[in-house]
Amino acid sequence: MKKVWILICLLLIIVGVIFFIILGDNSKKEININDIGKKLDNPNHDILIPTKYDVKNVYLHNNDFVSAWAEIIMSNKIEISIYTSDDLKNKSSKYINKEKINNTNIKEYKTNAGKREYIFKQDKLIYVYKFSPSEKENINQYLKTNLD
């Protein structure tokens, strides 16, 4: 009888893992750049995406375990992620500086690959800009013009 329960438990674990893998594949969907606000429940506010860079892909990551977030891949010089959750932690990059642009606090980090990251909150969204150091001035100018 004990062996039957062990087999049932193992079978349930295997089915659970397969179910989790299948659901995980559906959590990243390509969307139109104009739909980001609607998909992140922030339809009445502008999304801060610099127009200087061409947008290659926009993905919505959404599963039942974490809040929805958008990933905007623009070029090898800049990537933007937009989150709806406040519990964003940056443990993989080194904290460099905190500055204020138009009453918005921006934390600057340096990745192991040498890229810079800006993390800031605008409206209900958390933005993570990851860019090459050569683009810092362009990004700063864009934020000075477009942040509230």
Side-chain angles (χ1 to χ4, degrees):
M1 188 67 174
K2 207 175 201 181
K3 290 181 181 182
V4 172
W5 281 109
I6 292 174
L7 287 174
I8 290 173
C9 289
L10 286 174
L11 183 63
L12 287 174
I13 290 171
I14 292 170
V15 169
V17 168
I18 292 171
F19 188 67
F20 181 76
I21 291 171
I22 291 171
L23 283 179
D25 291 342
N26 296 329
S27 67
K28 180 179 178 179
K29 295 179 183 171
E30 192 160 3
I31 62 170
N32 185 308
I33 193 164
N34 298 322
D35 294 337
I36 294 173
K38 281 190 284 185
K39 300 289 184 182
L40 296 178
D41 293 329
N42 204 25
N44 298 327
H45 298 282
D46 291 333
I47 303 296
L48 297 172
I49 301 172
T51 56
K52 177 184 178 186
Y53 305 95
D54 292 331
V55 174
K56 291 182 179 180
N57 302 90
V58 179
Y59 298 104
L60 179 70
H61 296 263
N62 192 5
N63 61 36
D64 296 334
F65 302 108
V66 296
S67 300
W69 62 282
E71 174 185 23
I72 300 103
I73 300 171
M74 302 183 82
S75 70
N76 60 349
K77 293 186 177 183
I78 183 169
E79 287 180 31
I80 299 173
S81 299
I82 305 171
Y83 298 86
T84 55
S85 175
D86 270 341
D87 62 352
L88 181 65
K89 306 246 186 315
N90 189 340
K91 294 181 180 179
S92 63
S93 301
K94 180 182 172 190
Y95 177 79
I96 294 178
N97 190 19
K98 183 177 181 181
E99 61 182 285
K100 200 168 208 161
I101 297 179
N102 298 351
N103 295 321
T104 300
N105 291 320
I106 298 176
K107 294 179 182 175
E108 182 179 356
Y109 294 86
K110 181 180 179 182
T111 68
N112 292 337
K115 291 196 172 201
R116 297 288 193 257
E117 288 182 341
Y118 279 177
I119 299 178
F120 60 93
K121 185 173 184 173
Q122 179 74 9
D123 299 319
K124 297 178 185 176
L125 302 176
I126 308 294
Y127 288 84
V128 178
Y129 279 43
K130 186 184 286 187
F131 53 91
S132 64
S134 63
E135 296 301 311
K136 183 175 181 174
E137 192 165 321
N138 292 330
I139 299 297
N140 284 347
Q141 188 60 41
Y142 172 78
L143 293 175
K144 285 177 186 173
T145 306
N146 292 287
L147 279 176
D148 293 339

